[in-house]
Amino acid sequence: MAMEGGMKCVKFLLYVLLLAFCACAVGLIVVGVAVQLVLNQTITHGATPGTLLPVVIIVVGAFLFLVAFVGCCGACKENYCLMMTFAIFLTLIMLVEVAVAIAGYVFKDKVKTEFNKNFQQQMQNYPKNNGTASLLDKMQEEFNCCGAANYTDWENIPGMGKDRVPDSCCINVTAHCGTDFDLHAINTQGCVEKIGIWLRKNVLLVAAAALGIAFVEVLGIVFACCLVKSIRSGYEVM
């Protein structure tokens, strides 16, 4: 009876963890989609290891959701095969997440280089493409930046010149504020560095979330193995 009561407690905790897995899966999908949208807007020339990372995150999130469903069915029916499948797949997901984290660290400089190159290329299309202009204006306003490296990047853009930057570079954005601008009235720092600073500030939050997900997954594997052992013992008794 004590063993049966212990397994009921394990099953209950496993159900709680499965709910947490579903939440983590949705979170991974949302993060992956958000990062993919940002990269699609800023890196437009083909797939690279850096740009494939959000796709991997989305796939892992979707797979985690499916695995959580398998685990729920296995725990509810106390099915040995389903619980073994759940434990094995959850272990594989953990390994993939570790690989993604390592790849993200390895390719972080490459992503920054690609972002810088593509930002400058899109600056060339600023006077000719309204969609590109809207995108760059939005980024410059949100991050209080101007140009890729700094505001002087706009000097080489056709139709701009030394005495003109987009109005979105202004500290207080008004019509034509970027024409014959006062240096003290515009944001002089480049967007590549500003966005890099923003990412570094948020990387600790991402790391903490990743550690939390990993901890929950380890608990899930442990509880699944305990339930598998209990189910197997039940089969042997019969």
Side-chain angles (χ1 to χ4, degrees), residues 199-211:
L199 288 173
R200 285 192 291 273
K201 286 181 179 178
N202 287 274
V203 74
L204 289 177
L205 293 176
V206 174
L211 286 173

Side-chain angles (χ1 to χ4, degrees), residues 62-106:
F63 190 56
L64 179 58
F65 193 89
L66 178 62
V67 170
F69 178 76
V70 171
C72 187
C73 292
C76 184
K77 296 183 178 181
E78 295 189 3
N79 185 286
Y80 177 82
C81 291
L82 287 178
M83 291 310 302
M84 279 297 295
T85 302
F86 170 73
I88 292 170
F89 280 170
L90 196 57
T91 303
L92 291 175
I93 288 174
M94 275 196 64
L95 294 176
V96 171
E97 287 172 348
V98 170
V100 169
I102 293 172
Y105 179 79
V106 170

Side-chain angles (χ1 to χ4, degrees), residues 5-6 13 35 52 54 61 64 83 89 91 94 96 100 111 114 151 154 157-158 194 199 213 221:
L13 291 174
V35 173
L52 290 176
L64 179 58
M83 291 310 302
F89 280 170
T91 303
M94 275 196 64
V96 171
V100 169
V111 171
E114 290 170 0
Y151 74 99
W154 289 105
I157 305 303
K194 271 292 188 74
L199 288 173
I213 292 173
I221 293 169

